[in-house]
Amino acid sequence: MDNRNLAKKILAAIGGKENVTKVQHCMTRLRFRLKNSSNANKEIVKKIDGVMGVTEAGGQYQVIIGNNVSNVYKELVDILGISPEQVVEEVEEKEKRSLFNRFITMFTGIIVPVLGVLAASGVLKGLLVIFTQLNILSNESGIYQLLHIGSDALFYFFPIILGFSAANQLKTNPYVVATIGAGLVYPDFIALYNEGVQLDFIGIPVLLANYTQSIFPIIVAAWLVSLLEKQFKKLVPEALKLMGVPFLLLVTAFPITVLAIGPVTIYLSQLLASGANGLYSLNPIVAGVLLSGIWQLIVMVGLHGAFIPIIFNNLATMGYDPINAMLTVSVFAVAGSVLGVALKAKKKSQIKPVANASALSAILGVTEPGVYGILVPLKKPFIMTVIAGSIGGLIVGIFESVQYNFAGMGIFSIPGFISPDGIHSGFIGFLIAITAAFLVALILTYLFGYKEDIELSKQSIKQSNEEKEVKQAVEKVVYNPINGKVIPISEVNDGVFSSETMGKGFAVVPNEGVVYAPFDGTVVNVFHTKHAIGLLSNTGVELIIHIGLNTVELNGEPFNILVKDGEQIKQGQKIGEFDIEGIKAKGYDVTTPVVITNSNTFSSISIVATEETKEKEISVRIQ
């Protein structure tokens, strides 16, 4: 299936574009915010060819696509008519979402845009350590010093970059928040802290701190700016808003950040890091076995985002993180299990190329294709993954391996586990752990986890049946809105309609002066002359019913529309009446075009109306 059709089917199955308030994507998932999650049919979405799975977590409806997610996302936002990360509507479903879910959703939205350059910087830092340890580069050489500056710049100025991202997520002025972030790492500010200067602000003592690489102070500052900005916009005259609002934000938000937000969040960050690592320090071996073993289950239910603040906070406050070492081991266990399936599968097996590609993807750090495409459907290889991951986690716990720089997942993560002081036992232990997890998973899966293509044949039959169900389930239909004789739109005596300039459709010569709702949806527009009604279905079909030709000239006289703009309608509901003989008496043609005005957004539109049609009959099938 091509990416555009896949995007259309997903959109239809989650309740149409009118149910989407926001959409983002990470490395493998489309992350939707929906007005009403009950309008989304999870079972239908899961059965769509190209979808690996569905989960709801952190207030997001997550559709797992795999490596192709960015291409599907491009088609999706094009269909929605929005730019990436743009909010479609501010109105969201009034559901109770926990403070934890709201925080994770916000934090993920802030971090995701930065992940690429963050991982690249971590990899570069790790490689520089390797090159200096192997005497390939001297740390006094120009090459090393320039690349070191380039790799370290993001971490040093993290409050600026993160502030900009946080402001975009919270829909406030990104330049003001980035400026506050710059203030936190301003050279003179850092110098005051290093010199131990006692400072006060209007009599209030300032608790100076080094905010380079910090995370939470600038995020909370962005939230404060988002609240203050709304109030200042009300107070400042229109002519002065361009400069006045940022001025007020800087003179209020920056001092508050330094006086209160910074010290409090730094203290809480230290508590969070101490708590997470305290749990680890109680028994790193047990922690490694448990976390590495169940990590893919955590990913499957979409709760892995809860670990992101802990990992980043550990790196920011302590300079290292033990948690991600255990989680990374699980990635290599997935790669081993999937490769085991690939090696065991027959040469002509349909699953072999899929498993090979998924194994490579997992080695590079993206496990969803392997988990959802291979391990979960086959079940036994998933069990082998859990066993191998636990063994790898055991080794990580024994060696107390930690990560020093976030450098992505998979093989790209390896340089991040090298200490700035050089290679030591923790790094060696990490290499042993990922190798063991990979090999144990591969061997167990090859020997016990996959029986040739028996499972595949069953899966193929099941998938074939499911594809048929999906095709039927996501199909959109339009019922006939007017009883009468159906004629092709090309035969309508009006060039705009007959040329399909407005869209594809059909026409009815009515024998009854009643208009029925052709689907469940919303009344978009009742024309003031009452001769035409614009509708939008719950599945995204935009349709106009134009009663008669040139009847706009009748100024509404023979028409009685029973609905109003914005009203919800049900298929078969009477939504209008008109006087057939009255229209004819005035010399007008009563032929009524029924046109799908967004025809170009669908892959196929089939007119299936019978010659003599009634309101309970299907007139159009759309995919």
Side-chain angles (χ1 to χ4, degrees):
M1 183 185 300
D2 64 71
N3 296 325
R4 192 167 188 86
N5 281 335
L6 176 55
K8 287 179 181 178
K9 290 193 174 186
I10 292 171
L11 197 58
I14 64 172
K17 64 181 182 180
E18 67 275 11
N19 196 37
V20 177
T21 62
K22 190 172 185 179
V23 60
Q24 295 173 303
H25 78 89
C26 55
M27 291 183 70
T28 58
R29 305 180 183 209
L30 295 171
R31 296 172 176 267
F32 293 94
R33 292 288 295 277
L34 303 180
K35 288 183 188 176
N36 190 342
S37 57
S38 63
N39 287 344
N41 192 319
K42 184 180 290 187
E43 293 306 312
I44 291 177
V45 179
K46 286 163 63 176
K47 293 177 181 178
I48 296 173
D49 182 24
V51 172
M52 296 178 175
V54 181
T55 187
E56 293 182 74
Q60 295 179 333
Y61 192 91
Q62 302 174 12
V63 180
I64 299 115
I65 302 297
N67 298 342
N68 192 40
V69 66
S70 60
N71 295 322
V72 179
Y73 177 74
K74 289 176 183 177
E75 297 294 343
L76 187 66
V77 295
D78 183 58
I79 293 169
L80 289 170
I82 61 173
S83 59
E85 300 183 13
Q86 176 184 343
V87 174
V88 181
E89 293 183 42
E90 294 292 339
V91 181
E92 299 181 16
E93 67 174 339
K94 295 180 179 179
E95 60 179 354
K96 292 183 179 179
R97 297 173 58 229
S98 68
L99 182 63
F100 173 77
N101 277 346
R102 292 200 298 270
F103 171 75
I104 294 301
T105 300
M106 179 195 70
F107 194 88
T108 302
I110 293 170
I111 290 294
V112 164
V114 189
L115 275 180
V117 66
L118 188 64
S121 298
V123 169
L124 183 55
K125 286 173 75 71
L127 291 175
L128 288 174
V129 172
I130 294 175
F131 291 155
T132 54
Q133 289 289 310
L134 297 176
N135 294 321
I136 297 174
L137 278 179
S138 166
N139 55 15
E140 296 180 357
S141 68
I143 295 175
Y144 174 87
Q145 293 193 42
L146 280 179
L147 291 179
H148 173 72
I149 291 170
S151 68
D152 200 48
L154 172 69
F155 299 100
Y156 188 91
F157 296 108
F158 209 31
I160 301 175
I161 306 298
L162 208 59
F164 197 90
S165 182
N168 284 329
Q169 176 70 15
L170 294 167
K171 304 175 190 65
T172 192
N173 192 320
Y175 302 100
V176 170
V177 180
T179 300
I180 292 173
L184 294 177
V185 295
Y186 192 69
D188 288 355
F189 188 92
I190 302 297
L192 291 172
Y193 166 75
N194 291 333
E195 294 166 8
V197 174
Q198 299 296 315
L199 197 66
D200 71 86
F201 181 80
I202 57 173
I204 303 172
V206 179
L207 299 176
L208 294 170
N210 186 343
Y211 292 104
T212 59
Q213 300 191 46
S214 65
I215 295 173
F216 293 112
I218 192 61
I219 291 177
V220 179
W223 172 76
L224 174 65
V225 169
S226 71
L227 297 180
L228 293 176
E229 185 179 35
K230 294 176 183 177
Q231 303 306 316
F232 292 156
K233 283 183 176 179
K234 296 176 183 178
L235 296 175
V236 177
E238 193 67 36
L240 299 176
K241 280 183 179 178
L242 181 64
M243 182 275 292
V245 172
F247 172 80
L248 291 176
L249 289 172
L250 285 178
V251 299
T252 55
F254 182 65
I256 292 173
T257 299
V258 174
L259 292 170
I261 293 174
V264 170
T265 52
I266 288 292
Y267 176 70
L268 292 176
S269 296
Q270 291 170 346
L271 283 181
L272 179 63
S274 299
N277 295 298
L279 180 64
Y280 170 80
S281 64
L282 286 176
N283 196 318
I285 296 175
V286 173
V289 170
L290 288 177
L291 275 179
S292 296
I294 67 172
W295 178 241
Q296 293 305 322
L297 291 172
I298 293 172
V299 173
M300 285 175 61
V301 298
L303 294 178
H304 53 300
F307 287 79
I308 295 176
I310 298 173
I311 293 169
F312 278 84
N313 189 61
N314 284 341
L315 292 171
T317 56
M318 301 186 306
Y320 64 87
D321 168 64
I323 306 298
N324 208 26
M326 296 177 283
L327 309 185
T328 304
V329 167
S330 176
V331 173
F332 287 90
V334 171
S337 290
V338 176
L339 184 58
V341 172
L343 294 175
K344 189 69 173 287
K346 295 177 181 178
K347 288 184 178 181
K348 295 183 179 180
S349 168
Q350 296 176 11
I351 205 170
K352 196 175 188 73
V354 176
N356 280 323
S358 298
L360 176 61
S361 175
I363 290 171
L364 297 177
V366 181
T367 59
E368 277 89 343
V371 171
Y372 290 98
I374 305 294
L375 303 186
V376 172
L378 298 179
K379 297 181 179 64
K380 286 185 180 179
F382 190 86
I383 297 173
M384 306 308 164
T385 302
V386 172
I387 295 172
S390 296
I391 292 172
L394 172 71
I395 298 170
V396 163
I398 292 173
F399 282 87
E400 297 187 5
S401 305
V402 297
Q403 186 178 44
Y404 296 93
N405 294 296
F406 181 82
M409 298 294 280
I411 59 171
F412 295 119
S413 69
I414 294 175
F417 290 87
I418 302 174
S419 169
D421 299 327
I423 295 173
H424 54 64
S425 61
F427 178 68
I428 301 300
F430 175 73
L431 293 181
I432 295 172
I434 61 176
T435 303
F438 178 82
L439 292 177
V440 169
L442 189 155
I443 294 169
L444 288 179
T445 300
Y446 188 87
L447 295 178
F448 310 110
Y450 182 65
K451 296 180 181 179
E452 299 293 336
D453 289 335
I454 297 175
E455 291 93 342
L456 176 63
S457 60
K458 294 178 181 178
Q459 188 69 18
S460 297
I461 295 171
K462 181 181 177 183
Q463 184 177 353
S464 177
N465 292 333
E466 287 178 346
E467 285 177 351
K468 293 178 181 177
E469 292 176 17
V470 170
K471 184 175 181 181
Q472 295 170 354
V474 300
E475 183 181 59
K476 306 166 186 65
V477 296
V478 175
Y479 288 83
N480 185 55
I482 295 176
N483 294 335
K485 179 182 178 182
V486 173
I487 63 172
I489 195 74
S490 59
E491 295 181 10
V492 173
N493 190 25
D494 186 303
V496 174
F497 292 112
S498 62
S499 64
E500 297 186 344
T501 300
M502 291 185 63
K504 297 182 181 297
F506 62 98
V508 180
V509 180
N511 57 25
E512 179 188 24
V514 178
V515 182
Y516 300 94
F519 42 56
D520 293 348
T522 306
V523 179
V524 176
N525 186 23
V526 175
F527 289 77
H528 70 280
T529 53
K530 303 179 183 179
H531 73 291
I533 308 173
L535 306 173
L536 174 65
S537 77
N538 289 340
T539 56
V541 178
E542 298 173 4
L543 182 136
I544 187 170
I545 303 170
H546 194 285
I547 308 170
L549 303 178
N550 298 316
T551 47
V552 63
E553 299 169 2
L554 296 175
N555 293 317
E557 183 180 340
F559 308 106
N560 178 29
I561 304 302
L562 306 175
V563 291
K564 60 182 182 297
D565 291 1
E567 184 174 334
Q568 298 294 309
I569 56 174
K570 292 289 184 182
Q571 189 273 316
Q573 172 187 343
K574 185 188 288 188
I575 59 175
E577 299 172 332
F578 57 97
D579 183 356
I580 295 176
E581 297 305 320
I583 295 172
K584 290 181 178 179
K586 297 286 187 179
Y588 291 90
D589 188 343
V590 294
T591 299
T592 299
V594 180
V595 179
I596 300 163
T597 55
N598 62 338
S599 300
N600 60 352
T601 64
F602 303 112
S603 58
S604 68
I605 297 176
S606 302
I607 310 300
V608 296
T610 56
E611 186 174 349
E612 291 291 334
T613 188
K614 295 183 179 180
E615 75 276 6
K616 294 182 180 180
E617 296 180 358
I618 295 175
S619 295
V620 185
R621 294 186 183 276
I622 304 170
Q623 286 187 335

